[in-house]
Amino acid sequence: MRVAEVVGRVLYEHGARYVFGVVGSGNFHVTNALVAAGARFVAAAHEGGAASMADGYARTSGTVGLLSVHQGPGVTNALTGLTEAAKSRTPMVVLAPEATAPRSNFFIDLPALAAAVGADFHRVRATHAAEDAGAAYRAASRGATVVLGLPLEVQLTVTEPWSGPVPAVAPTPATVPQVEPLLAALQAARRPVFIAGRGARAAREPLTRLADACGALLAVSAAAKGLFAGNPWYIDVAGGFATPLAAELIGAADLVVAWGSTLNMWTTRHGELIPPSAVVVQVDHDPAAFGVNRPVDLTVAGEVSAVAEAALGRLASTGPVDAGPGRWRTPELAQRIRDHGRWRTVPYSDEGGPARQGTPATIDPRTLSAALDDLLPPDRTVVVDSGNFMGYPSMWLDVPDVAGFCFTQAFQSVGLGLASALGAAVARPDRLTVAAVGDGGFVMSATELVSAVRLAAPLVVVIYNDAAYGAEVHHFGPDGHPLETVTFPETDLAAIARGYGCDGLTVRTVDDLGPVRHWLAGPRTRPLVVDAKVSAAHGSWWLEEAFRGH
């Protein structure tokens, strides 16, 4: 058996069921070995799209994503998506063939490249192929993006056949987190708030029970949106996306516990959201994350679920937290959260532009998003690209749970949303996948509509089309800078989508959304692309908030 076959078979036996990529000579055999073992290969139009597909699949499925690319340019083409995955700590293995001869056209310094973007690097050796491939998969499953170097000459080496079994992994010795300072803070607080981040996405149940035990309100960073969906004390996203009510309540907290969140500038509105008088606690499995973005008063090292369970256990032995006067879980506050806890409930002045002579109509992005939220089935996965528009789908489109929201913002790259949505659609074909993109990001990634048509997955692509790179327009425009480099002529993006084989729809008013209802009632096997011509009189509220911090 060749080493390439061993690697493919080992990865499948460890749990790899999908592999995304573009196949060339260097990854031909290893990809075929995965398929022969039982994995499904999902072809992308471009390696950059393939990387985002694997990322979106891993985030949505909660399992390891697999990316297979050609040596040299195949790796570098995937680099932006790979960087987003590494910064997000997405569990992913990149099958990266290596041309090891320095004079080869395909040579790159693969270990240095991986280190430069924050990914782990492993290399397969001819004499330890099964061991090396398994170690890479296990490292990814613990929350790392791993570049697995596959030297071309090693892949072709004949080695002993491998048929399993997968070696058992010794369990990590259980340690009891030291939660006494956290427990004291919870018992002393009258107005506690939990902010759960990316590292708490698997900890809904213990965090909910602990919040109930101590009377805390529940908030999330944008990366964990949906984690507490349906909970009456859930005030949604903290930071720039926060509703006025959420900002008010977090601003009145006397204790903020960050669970798997580093409290970055987006989550804290450049540090202004959390009051100076509040005690701030940070819980994280990685001690290196403590205090990286702002000072904290207490730290607790440990997995989020384990820390929450340990605190619950201590509360059971010491007695419940006092629920007396001054604590804010009251019927009145519960009613305020029901009435004002979503952006849908916040009044606004519609800025949609009616058609005038020489000026076609536009739709307010809030009005568009609210109408789509009513139209689309609640069982959905919402994937959001980067750009001026991104707060509208993030906050106006509800999601059923944390797996229903995919937020590709760790690298803040425009153009990753469409391909990430395809990976999410593969992970959850039982749900409608909604890709929310700007016109700039759509044009960057439109080639992956070929992949969307091939997959025939239930997919709606909503383009918030302001004919510009809106963030730059609203950042530099008020100062009188010329904007010709960041504004674009009217373009029929729906027609472009139809050219790829999708259904395409142009929307300028709510009434134009009628065909969406008809599409939803059909087989949903052709992607629907909605080219929404949105008004752009002002920058988005969250971006204005962000610019105030510059």
Side-chain angles (χ1 to χ4, degrees), residues 336-356:
R336 287 191 70 198
I337 293 172
R338 285 193 294 272
D339 292 343
H340 305 292
R342 301 168 62 212
W343 275 106
R344 287 286 304 267
T345 64
V346 178
Y348 66 92
S349 176
D350 192 297
E351 295 177 351
R356 298 186 180 92

Side-chain angles (χ1 to χ4, degrees), residues 10 74 90 166 177 210 215 221 352 359-360 380 437 477 513 531:
V10 168
T90 299
V166 172
L210 183 59
S221 71
T359 305
R380 63 181 71 146
V437 302
L513 288 169
D531 180 10

Side-chain angles (χ1 to χ4, degrees), residues 45 49 385 414-419 422 437-450 500:
D385 203 346
V414 170
L416 306 185
L418 174 57
L422 297 182
V437 302
D439 52 304
F442 174 78
V443 171
M444 284 185 185
S445 59
T447 186
E448 291 304 343
L449 290 178
V450 170
Y500 278 101

Side-chain angles (χ1 to χ4, degrees), residues 185 253-257 275-281 297-298:
D254 59 2
L255 172 67
V256 173
V257 185
S277 58
V279 174
V280 179
V281 181
D297 300 294
L298 297 172

Side-chain angles (χ1 to χ4, degrees), residues 101-167:
R103 291 187 177 274
S104 167
N105 288 17
F106 295 122
F107 176 78
I108 54 175
D109 189 340
L110 204 54
L113 181 147
V117 302
D120 291 355
F121 181 78
H122 292 228
R123 180 178 281 129
V124 168
R125 299 163 293 174
T127 53
H128 297 80
E131 176 186 337
D132 295 338
Y137 191 95
R138 290 191 295 274
S141 68
R142 292 191 292 269
T145 296
V146 178
V147 175
L148 180 59
L150 301 170
L152 297 177
E153 65 277 12
V154 171
Q155 287 192 58
L156 299 177
T157 301
V158 176
T159 186
E160 291 296 318
W162 185 88
S163 57
V166 172

